[in-house]
Structure formats: structure tokens, C-alpha cells
Amino acid sequence: MENLFKHKYTKPIILILYVLSISTFALFPRDLFFGDEVRYADVFLHLKEGNFILLTLNGESYPDKPPLFFIFIYFLKLITRIPDPQIFFIATSITGAMFITGSYYFLKIITKDEDKAFYSNILIVSNLYFIALVNFVKMDLFFSFFILLSFTFFYLYYEKDKISFLYLAFMMAGIALFVKGLLGLIFPILSFIVFCLLKKRYKPFLNFHFILGLIVALIPTTIWIFALIRINGFDYVYNSLFYQQTVRRAIDAFHSKKPFYFYFYVLPLVWLPISIVILSNIKDLKTFLSEYKCKDNDGHLYNLVVFFTSFLILSLVSSKFPNYLLPIFPSFALLIYQLVINSKEDRKLWFATSIIFIIISSVIGYLTFNRNNFPFMENVNYSWIVSLVGILIAIFLIKYSGKSTNKILSIYSVLIIIFANSLNITFVLPSSPFFSPRIIGEQLKYYSEKGYKPISFDTYSGTYSFYANRSVLETRDKSKIEELIRNGEKLVIAMSEKNWDRWENKPDSLRIVKRQFMMNKYYIVLIN
């Protein structure tokens, strides 16, 4: 058994199995949530019609993202024949496995230590925020996988001085760019240049191959942009893709604009409870970081450069989301693991972790036994199991906190698998209709098939299109609806109950046919 664990493929396979084991909704698909999930599903719905160049959302051009992630899901569906929406959760699970594999090899190559790489990634798969991402349909895992490969190949190029690794690094960065945008290119290239500057080696980035590699990285996205220009014209592509989605997001975001210090508190929050180790070792942090500056430890220095350079770039960008931190999760995990291993206060860490699980268990227990006061708890009957598992984890951590770090991490990660699946199956799955536009969307579909025109009033674009299985007229102008009614149009309208109550002189012909709690407020469906 010991020899099997030492086999070069055993550790990455274990990590992949960890990811698959926490991907609850790949086996038990839930309703797609309000926000990106239903929007991505609608984009994919139109992609299946054969347009791989110009993505559309609710019948309108969708220049927010390049098409590669959706093409990946398309071919996955073509091969597996798995229906919607389960295919989205299968795809997310696979991208999670890709991410953790890329993370393992990145850390293994820069540390030259399989155990450090393995246990650092155990921290990642045990991270509650990472578990949430593996169960939520987003492209960040896919995006981060290629960034990690680029980080890795740049380091191999520096270490072995082989041009082939340089081109591979740029190819991976180019794919990342084609998945989600410029950060996929900027993270690895800038990190590598900063690292070379610190090592006072300029030749690795001041040469012809480096420029040629950059050109290679830009080819896929450049071809796509020229195709978009041919379809929609230069002005549209410039305004939508370059200005709105690139320049404005970077310097003056119209959505999720956050202050410079946003990630300084978000990173520790998304890494709770393990990030507590930073606070318990704050006195030794300066000494700990200084050890990474050793001249014979290029890998650890590279890791620090990757982390701090990428973190600074993210902080400078105007638009900020917690999931943007994902490409530096492996670097942060290695730093945390090193702190945990060298900590004399590890008992305090595990005790604090146990307290957090007691708090989580108490909150879920309170919701369970007071579910009549919370509409989203209507279908939740067995969430007390989550509380029980959380309490058992807390007891284990308190009792065995003196054991070796690697041993307790291994057992803790297994307990987290049980906790995550019990949470997803008994709590998230039955409550998902109250976080999803499915019920409202299906009402729009039902009445549309009877000849009604579907309208969404004052709601995020593309919210109902997937479940309505058609484009929905979206407006914030009540007078437009009133005009359509006067013209004799049969309408089915989705709006929040608050907007309905505020509607003065509402048409008498409108009546409510459905009322549904969603995302902390009530929505209604109206017909005339």
C-alpha cells in the first residue's frame, strides 16, 4: 500500500477522486440558479444551433465571453448525450478535476516535493468556497486550469532553458485568453517577467522567441475578433468587447466595482477556516516569508511572485469577484500549508476550525427547526443531518488536534466530503427552486405556447430565456407594456411583486397566475 501511494500517478488520481466526490450535482442535478448559471445555459442553448462565433443571450449578441467554454460543453454533450441541465454540472465537475490536476503539477514542479504539492491541494479540495465552485456552473475552473499550466511551463522554461516550454506556456496563456479574457494572458506573462527581474536574468524574456510566443498566444482570440467584426462590424466590437468588457471593467467597472483593498479581506474569508493559521502565526510571518528568498530555492520565490503579482493585478482591476482569486489558490495553499506544518499553534487552528463548524451546524439547525419562518426551507426536511455531521467534525478536530498535520488533514478532507454532500443533498438540492427562475420561466413557456407574448420586467438580462425555451422581451418601461395591452396583444409578464405593488394605474385586464419566492423576494406571473 505504501509503494502504491508513492507511485507518480497515485496522488493526482486521489485528488481527482476528491473533486469528483464533492461534485454532488453532477449525479443529482438541481435547478439552475438565478444569475450566471441560467444565462450560460441560454447562451449554450443558442450555441447548439450552430453559431460557434457569435454568442447570443436572449436573442441578443453576447460579447461578454469568448466561446471556448461553451464549445467545450457542446462537445462534451455530443460525446456523452447527457441532457440539460445535468451536462452543465458534469462539465463543472470535469473542469474542477482539470484544475486540481494543474494545481498539483504546478506545485510539484516548483517545490520538487510531491507531498507538499499533494497536501497543499488537500487544503484546496477541503476549502468550502472551492467546493461551492465545483457545484456551481461557472467557467473560472476551466480558465484557471490553463493559467496554471502557463505558470508551470514558464517555470520549466526558466529552469531547463528549453524553448519548447516557452511556446507551451504562451499556448496555454492564449487558450486562457480565449476562455475568459485578458487576465489569462497577463497573469503568467507578468509574473514570469517579474520573477526574471528579481533573479537578474533578462535573456529569458528579452529574445525573439518570447515575442513570437506572444504572437502565437494571440492568434485564436485575434481570429475570433476578426470574425466578430465581419459579422457585426468594427464599431460594435470596439464598443462592446474592447470598451465595455475590457477597458471599463479594468478602470471603471459598471458592474461589481470594488475598492482596491477588496481582496485583502475576501481572500482570508473564502479560505476560512484554514486562513486562521495566518492570524495565529502573525508574529512569525515575516521570518517565514524571508525563508523564501534563499538563492537556492527558485521554486518558492516563483510561487511568491505568482501570488503577489497576480494579487496586485486583481486589486488594480476595477471589477472584482471572489472567484477571480482562483488562479492563485495553489500558491496561497502552499503558503498556508507551510505555515500549518511549521506552526506551534496548530492546536489553536484546529480548535478555531471546530468552532466554525459548530457555528455552521447551529445556523443550519436553527433554520431546520424554524423552517416555517423561511420560505426557501419549505421543501427542506433532513438538513439536521448537516448539523450532525458538522458537530462530528468539530469533535474530531478537538480530539485529534495534536496529531501530525498530514494525518489530520487527510481525515479532515474525508469528513469534508461527507459534510459537503450532506449539505448539498439535504439542504441545497431541495431549496434550489427558491434560488432558481425555473418555475417562473416554465410559466412563461407554458403561456407562450398558448400564444402569449413573454415579457420580463426589470430583471437581469437572460434570466428566464433558458427555462422559457425562447427569447423574452425585456423592458423596464411599464408604458411599453400598457401600449401592447391597448393594441390587443396577449401578454405573459414576469416581475417582482414589489414592482407590481408600485405600478400605479395598472391595467385592469392583468391578473396574477403564479406567485413564487425567489432570491429573497416574491415574483409573480401575470396574464391579460
Side-chain angles (χ1 to χ4, degrees):
M1 180 65 80
E2 189 175 337
N3 289 334
L4 178 63
F5 191 69
K6 289 180 179 178
H7 192 278
K8 65 179 180 178
Y9 295 123
T10 301
K11 290 184 177 72
I13 288 172
I14 289 173
L15 290 169
I16 290 170
L17 291 175
Y18 264 119
V19 171
L20 298 180
S21 67
I22 57 177
S23 304
T24 314
F25 303 124
L27 289 178
F28 308 99
R30 56 165 172 78
D31 294 343
L32 296 173
F33 284 171
F34 183 94
D36 281 347
E37 284 196 338
V38 285
R39 288 158 59 83
Y40 286 177
D42 186 56
V43 170
F44 178 72
L45 199 65
H46 294 292
L47 183 81
K48 290 193 296 184
E49 296 171 0
N51 191 344
F52 290 88
I53 302 298
L54 180 63
L55 299 178
T56 57
L57 174 68
N58 193 41
E60 300 291 332
S61 298
Y62 182 67
D64 289 38
K65 305 288 185 294
L68 190 57
F69 177 68
F70 301 99
I71 293 171
F72 164 72
I73 300 177
Y74 175 84
F75 283 105
L76 186 63
K77 184 178 176 70
L78 201 65
I79 294 166
T80 62
R81 303 292 178 181
I82 295 170
D84 307 337
Q86 187 174 11
I87 190 65
F88 305 126
F89 297 109
I90 295 284
T92 303
S93 179
I94 291 171
T95 58
M98 291 165 65
F99 172 87
I100 211 67
T101 305
S103 175
Y104 172 77
Y105 282 107
F106 168 64
L107 295 182
K108 177 186 172 183
I109 284 167
I110 66 172
T111 62
K112 304 294 186 291
D113 189 322
E114 288 187 1
D115 285 342
K116 278 185 183 179
F118 177 72
Y119 286 107
S120 296
N121 279 285
I122 287 291
L123 286 175
I124 294 176
V125 296
S126 305
N127 176 271
L128 296 175
Y129 184 72
F130 178 78
I131 293 170
L133 286 177
V134 170
N135 286 282
F136 193 85
V137 182
K138 291 189 80 68
M139 60 180 66
D140 297 272
L141 291 162
F142 193 57
F143 177 59
S144 301
F145 167 69
F146 293 105
I147 292 175
L148 289 173
L149 289 184
S150 186
F151 283 147
T152 306
F153 286 127
F154 268 124
Y155 184 74
L156 286 171
Y157 162 62
Y158 171 86
E159 188 179 53
K160 301 184 183 299
D161 197 25
K162 287 187 177 179
I163 295 298
S164 58
F165 287 124
L166 176 65
Y167 284 106
L168 283 170
F170 272 113
M171 285 172 64
M172 295 304 107
I175 295 173
L177 171 66
F178 198 43
V179 172
K180 199 177 179 181
L182 269 176
L183 288 178
L185 198 65
I186 293 171
F187 279 166
I189 294 174
L190 203 56
S191 296
F192 179 69
I193 291 173
V194 171
F195 174 66
C196 290
L197 290 172
L198 288 174
K199 296 299 294 182
K200 297 181 180 178
R201 285 181 56 181
Y202 312 114
K203 188 178 178 181
F205 66 91
L206 292 177
N207 60 69
F208 170 75
H209 290 287
F210 198 86
I211 302 299
L212 191 58
L214 180 59
I215 293 170
V216 168
L218 293 170
I219 287 173
T221 304
T222 302
I223 293 171
W224 172 64
I225 289 171
F226 274 113
L228 284 182
I229 291 172
R230 186 167 183 177
I231 296 169
N232 273 5
F234 177 81
D235 289 341
Y236 173 81
V237 173
Y238 175 80
N239 290 327
S240 300
L241 187 62
F242 288 101
Y243 180 66
Q244 293 288 347
Q245 297 300 324
T246 305
V247 177
R248 279 201 65 187
R249 278 181 179 269
I251 62 175
D252 185 23
F254 55 90
H255 180 50
S256 293
K257 184 177 181 179
K258 297 292 190 300
F260 173 82
Y261 54 84
F262 176 74
Y263 292 117
F264 285 87
Y265 64 84
V266 166
L267 182 62
L269 284 176
V270 299
W271 267 90
L272 281 173
I274 299 299
S275 55
I276 294 168
V277 74
I278 298 174
L279 296 175
S280 63
N281 288 271
I282 200 74
K283 293 178 182 178
D284 303 322
L285 197 58
K286 186 177 180 180
T287 305
F288 169 74
L289 290 174
S290 67
E291 293 175 3
Y292 278 74
K293 296 179 182 178
C294 299
K295 292 181 180 179
D296 58 345
N297 206 339
D298 288 346
H300 285 305
L301 177 60
Y302 184 67
N303 186 60
L304 273 182
V305 169
V306 163
F307 176 77
F308 285 110
T309 303
S310 302
F311 188 88
L312 180 61
I313 294 166
L314 287 171
S315 298
L316 291 171
V317 172
S318 178
S319 181
K320 296 179 177 68
F321 292 91
N323 44 288
Y324 287 3
L325 290 165
L326 201 55
I328 59 174
F329 262 40
S331 297
F332 191 67
L334 178 60
L335 293 170
I336 290 287
Y337 177 69
Q338 289 287 85
L339 275 171
V340 172
I341 284 290
N342 297 319
S343 174
K344 297 174 183 177
E345 307 289 343
D346 60 325
R347 293 183 71 94
K348 289 183 180 179
L349 164 67
W350 297 119
F351 180 76
T353 302
S354 69
I355 296 298
I356 287 176
F357 275 96
I358 290 171
I359 293 171
I360 293 172
S361 300
S362 300
V363 170
I364 292 175
Y366 176 79
L367 291 172
T368 302
F369 293 106
N370 294 274
R371 60 182 183 172
N372 292 334
N373 298 323
F374 302 97
F376 63 86
M377 294 292 290
E378 182 181 314
N379 302 321
V380 180
N381 297 311
Y382 301 102
S383 56
W384 57 267
I385 295 172
V386 185
S387 297
L388 180 61
V389 174
I391 295 296
L392 291 174
I393 291 175
I395 292 170
F396 165 80
L397 292 173
I398 292 170
K399 186 173 181 180
Y400 295 99
S401 59
K403 302 292 183 182
S404 73
T405 300
N406 289 348
K407 186 174 182 179
I408 195 171
L409 266 179
S410 299
I411 301 173
Y412 171 68
S413 63
V414 174
L415 292 173
I416 285 292
I417 292 172
I418 300 170
F419 179 80
N421 281 291
S422 61
L423 178 67
N424 286 333
I425 292 170
T426 68
F427 187 83
V428 180
L429 189 62
S431 65
S432 64
F434 299 94
F435 299 96
S436 169
R438 178 182 64 82
I439 293 173
I440 302 291
E442 288 177 350
Q443 285 286 306
L444 295 181
K445 179 183 178 182
Y446 173 77
Y447 283 100
S448 295
E449 290 171 350
K450 289 179 175 291
Y452 288 78
K453 183 183 185 68
I455 296 177
S456 169
F457 181 80
D458 194 21
T459 310
Y460 205 38
S461 181
T463 295
Y464 302 116
S465 312
F466 174 72
Y467 282 115
N469 198 32
R470 68 200 69 234
S471 296
V472 176
L473 175 63
E474 295 170 341
T475 182
R476 294 183 178 181
D477 185 359
K478 289 172 184 168
S479 64
K480 187 173 184 178
I481 297 174
E482 292 168 354
E483 184 182 352
L484 288 170
I485 292 173
R486 285 195 299 270
N487 291 339
E489 292 254 20
K490 292 172 64 179
L491 308 180
V492 55
I493 308 162
M495 66 165 58
S496 69
E497 192 172 57
K498 186 181 290 186
N499 277 322
W500 171 249
D501 292 338
R502 290 175 177 173
W503 193 348
E504 297 178 359
N505 303 316
K506 53 179 75 90
D508 295 333
S509 60
L510 288 176
R511 61 186 177 91
I512 299 172
V513 293
K514 186 68 180 177
R515 183 174 182 260
Q516 173 70 23
F517 183 85
M518 179 176 69
M519 296 300 291
N520 207 33
K521 59 182 174 180
Y522 282 95
Y523 286 79
I524 56 173
V525 178
L526 305 155
I527 61 169
N528 64 333

